Amino acid sequence: MILHLLRPLHSLSSSTRTFKRALSSKIVPTAAEALKDVAFSGAKICVGGFGCCGIPETLINELARMKHVDGLTAVSNNAGIDGFGLGVLLESGQVKRMISSYVGENKTFEKLYLTGQLEVELTPQGSLAARLYAGGAGIPAFFTPTAAGTVIAKGGFPIKYKGDGSGEVEIESKPREVREFNGREFVMEEAITGDFSIVKAWKGDTRGNLVFRGTARNFNPECAKASKVCIAEVEEIVEAGELGPDEIHLPGIYVKKMILSKDNTKHIEKLTEGADENSGKGIIDGPRGRIVRRAAKEFKDGMYVNLGIGIPTMASNYIPEGVKIELQSENGLLGIGPYPKKGEADADWINAGKETVTTTIGASTFSSSDSFGMVRGGHVDLTILGGLECSRNGDLANWIIPGKMVKGMGGAMDLVGAPGARVVVTMDHISKNGSAKIMEECTLPLTGQQVVDRIITDLCVFDCDKEGGGGLTLVEIAPGVTVEEIRAKTACDFKIASEPLPLMDDA
C-alpha cells in the first residue's frame, strides 16, 4: 500500500483513491465545524499552551461563542489572562472547574475562586504533564516524589469555597496514596484523560502530523494524546510528504481534526529585552543585589541549572568568569540565552517566567513531560528559587497564602522534590512587616518537606542539614551585619560555622 501511495493519483485504483481521501479528511474548514459535534456541556477539555505561548486561540475563541456549552472542566497548565486565552471562557462563565498548576496572572480567576464561583484543582506542573502523558499512554496511575509531605499529598486543599462570602470551604481535596520506595515517600497521581483536546502547532500536514516551534510545544503534545478526539489548529497546512518523518513532533494518529489558525495574536505576557550596554540598566544594587551576586557564586562549571522567577533569574547575569552553565526552563527549553535585542522578541520563545528569551548555541526544545523527566530523573544539578518561608529543617513554602494570594505552585514542587536535587532559596531575611521568614516551622502550606540545602538572604547565608536533621548553620554574613542582628530576625536556633564568619561579598 505504501508503494501505491507513491504513484500519481490518476494511476491508483478507485479503492486506493478512496483510502487517500480518507487519510486527508482531517482538514476542517472552520473552528465552528471542527467543534460542533465535539463540544458539549460538562465536558472535560485538555488545552495546550504555557501562559499565552502556544495556545489554540482560534478554538478557544470559538468555544467562547458557543454559549450553550458550559459546565466545562478545563485541564491546562495556566488559566490564560484577563480577556485572552482561557480567560475569555472564565469571564463568560463556561468553566466550572480548572485543573492547573499556575494561575497567577489572571485576576478574574482569583476572584471567581475566592468567591466560590469556580472549582480549582491546583496540581504541580510536572505531575500535570505526567498525568496527561499517562492518560494518553493508557497508564492509570503512577508514583512521584513531587509534593510528598505537602497538602497536595495529605489532602484538605480548598477546591471550592462557599459562595456566601464566609470563606468556608465547600469542597476540599482528598488525600493521595503515599508509598515508600528506597527510603523516600512517593505520591500516587492518577492519569488525566479528556473528552476532547484543543492544541496549537506551527505546521501540520494533511495526515495530521504536527510540528511545533520553539517553546510553543510545551503542553501541546501531552494534551493532544490525552483525549480520543484532538482538534489541532496550525499556522500552516502542507501536503503529506512535505514534512520529513524525522521532522514530525507529534504523529497524526493523535489528531482527529485540523484547522488553519485564524487568530494568531500571540500575546507576549512579559516583553523582556536586553539592556543597551551603555544604559546602566540590569545593574542590581542594594540588599537584593547582594542576594543576586551571592546566588551566582553557586554556579559551577558544567552545571545544568534551573532558575526561578525574579532574583534567581537575575543571577544568570553574574556568572563567574570561566564558568559555563546551561539553563533549563520547565516549559521546554535547554540552553536559555540572553534577552532579545529591542524589536527582536519572538512570542514563541519564552522562559518559565513568561519572559521573552533567545537561545544559546546547542540549545534544544522539548515537551513539558520531557522537561520534568529531566527534573525528576536527577539530571538538573542545581535549582535556585524564591521563598516566602523556610524552616530550620529545610521545609520550603513559596506558592500560596490561603484566602489571599492564589498563584499556584507551578513547577516548584517538582524541582525541590527531585531525588538528589541541590536546592538554594533566595529571599529577603524578613518580610515587609518585619516578621521572620526563617522559622522553626513554616506556617504557610509547604512546597516541599526537608528539601532546602542553602538559604541566601540580604543578611547572611545559612546551610541546612535537610537529611540529617541538624538544623541551620550560619556560614556567611553580610558586611555591617552582626550575629546578634541575625538572631533577632530569625525565629529559630542556628549554629555558627566559624569565627570570624566569611563576608558574603568576599565569599
Side-chain angles (χ1 to χ4, degrees):
M1 184 60 72
I2 293 175
L3 293 175
H4 284 312
L5 289 175
L6 295 176
R7 298 176 186 169
L9 183 59
H10 62 77
S11 70
L12 301 180
S13 68
S14 175
S15 61
T16 304
R17 284 198 296 271
T18 301
F19 177 58
K20 185 176 178 74
R21 285 196 298 272
L23 290 174
S24 303
S25 66
K26 294 184 179 182
I27 310 303
V28 179
T30 66
E33 180 74 14
L35 287 165
K36 72 174 184 178
D37 296 325
V38 175
F40 60 92
S41 292
K44 182 186 286 186
I45 174 175
C46 302
V47 184
F50 183 93
C52 294
C53 181
I55 64 170
E57 295 179 48
T58 309
L59 291 163
I60 291 173
N61 291 340
E62 184 58 39
L63 274 174
R65 287 188 281 268
M66 301 171 70
K67 301 300 183 184
H68 63 284
V69 177
D70 57 13
L72 297 171
T73 293
V75 183
S76 180
N77 185 60
N78 308 92
I81 58 175
D82 295 305
F84 188 77
L86 283 178
V88 300
L89 294 182
L90 291 172
E91 290 169 8
S92 65
Q94 291 170 266
V95 178
K96 177 184 178 182
R97 177 175 289 211
M98 285 290 310
I99 302 176
S100 303
S101 84
Y102 188 82
V103 293
E105 277 76 36
N106 194 314
K107 295 297 182 185
T108 301
F109 173 98
E110 191 168 26
K111 179 183 177 181
L112 291 173
Y113 172 58
L114 292 176
T115 56
Q117 300 174 71
L118 180 68
E119 300 173 11
V120 178
E121 292 182 48
L122 286 174
T123 301
Q125 189 178 147
S127 295
L128 180 61
R131 292 176 69 188
L132 287 163
Y133 175 89
I139 300 168
F142 58 90
F143 283 92
T144 174
T146 301
T150 74
V151 69
I152 301 301
K154 296 176 181 178
F157 182 80
I159 289 177
K160 185 178 187 296
Y161 287 100
K162 290 183 178 180
D164 57 8
S166 65
E168 294 181 15
V169 177
E170 183 175 317
I171 304 172
E172 63 180 28
S173 64
K174 296 178 181 179
R176 285 160 163 79
E177 181 180 342
V178 176
R179 291 190 190 179
E180 189 173 295
F181 297 92
N182 301 318
R184 284 184 62 103
E185 286 189 348
F186 285 73
V187 180
M188 192 182 83
E189 293 282 5
E190 295 185 10
I192 293 176
T193 57
D195 293 303
F196 67 99
S197 300
I198 55 174
V199 301
K200 172 72 177 290
W202 178 40
K203 289 184 180 180
D205 69 17
T206 53
R207 297 277 290 273
N209 298 309
L210 302 182
V211 176
F212 303 98
R213 181 174 182 271
T215 56
R217 188 183 321 190
N218 50 66
F219 273 83
N220 279 294
E222 286 79 14
C223 287
K225 295 174 183 178
S227 300
K228 289 292 184 183
V229 178
C230 169
I231 307 172
E233 65 173 85
V234 299
E235 296 177 41
E236 182 181 352
I237 298 175
V238 300
E239 290 293 333
E242 290 189 36
L243 301 175
D246 288 338
E247 294 180 74
I248 293 165
H249 295 143
L250 186 75
I253 193 171
Y254 296 109
V255 178
K256 189 76 170 178
K257 301 180 182 182
M258 182 188 297
I259 65 165
L260 186 65
S261 180
K262 300 297 184 184
D263 300 333
N264 283 302
T265 306
K266 290 194 173 185
H267 178 81
I268 295 175
E269 290 182 67
K270 296 181 181 178
L271 176 60
T272 316
E273 298 171 322
D276 185 283
E277 291 183 3
N278 301 317
S279 70
K281 292 181 181 179
I283 299 173
I284 308 163
D285 293 319
R288 291 203 167 186
R290 178 181 298 132
I291 299 173
V292 169
R293 292 190 297 274
R294 178 58 187 83
K297 294 180 181 180
E298 296 296 311
F299 302 142
K300 303 294 182 285
D301 193 41
M303 274 186 166
Y304 292 99
V305 179
N306 185 289
L307 300 176
I309 299 168
I311 287 177
T313 295
M314 295 177 191
S316 63
N317 296 319
Y318 294 87
I319 299 172
E321 189 175 348
V323 172
K324 291 184 178 180
I325 63 172
E326 196 150 358
L327 296 177
Q328 194 261 12
S329 189
E330 304 100 286
N331 57 316
L333 175 60
L334 185 62
I336 302 174
Y339 293 130
K341 295 178 181 178
K342 188 174 181 61
E344 296 183 4
D346 188 327
D348 287 341
W349 293 94
I350 64 170
N351 62 19
K354 320 292 183 5
E355 299 172 325
T356 47
V357 295
T358 63
T359 60
T360 59
I361 294 173
S364 58
T365 59
F366 33 85
S367 70
S368 293
S369 60
D370 282 339
S371 181
F372 283 96
M374 297 174 187
V375 172
R376 280 191 304 274
H379 305 290
V380 176
D381 300 304
L382 172 67
T383 292
I384 304 180
L385 73 171
L388 295 172
E389 294 177 347
C390 282
S391 77
R392 69 182 298 274
N393 68 344
D395 297 345
L396 169 66
N398 77 344
W399 66 281
I400 191 170
I401 300 175
K404 294 182 180 180
M405 184 190 80
V406 184
K407 290 185 178 294
M409 68 289 290
M413 286 189 178
D414 306 273
L415 287 160
V416 303
R422 175 166 175 77
V423 176
V424 175
V425 173
T426 58
M427 64 181 189
D428 295 326
H429 203 96
I430 57 174
S431 65
K432 291 179 180 179
N433 65 11
S435 60
K437 299 177 70 173
I438 303 172
M439 54 193 66
E440 191 69 28
E441 293 184 1
C442 294
T443 61
L444 296 173
L446 296 184
T447 307
Q449 189 175 52
Q450 292 180 260
V451 295
V452 179
D453 292 281
R454 174 165 283 181
I455 306 169
I456 300 173
T457 78
D458 51 321
L459 301 182
C460 66
V461 178
F462 282 119
D463 277 349
C464 183
D465 182 15
K466 66 181 184 183
E467 301 290 346
L472 298 176
T473 300
L474 182 63
V475 295
E476 296 173 27
I477 195 167
V481 175
T482 65
V483 173
E484 288 70 26
E485 180 182 352
I486 294 172
R487 289 198 186 280
K489 295 179 177 180
T490 306
C492 64
D493 247 348
F494 58 83
K495 300 188 286 288
I496 300 175
S498 61
E499 295 276 10
L501 284 163
L503 294 179
M504 287 175 66
D505 289 0
D506 298 331

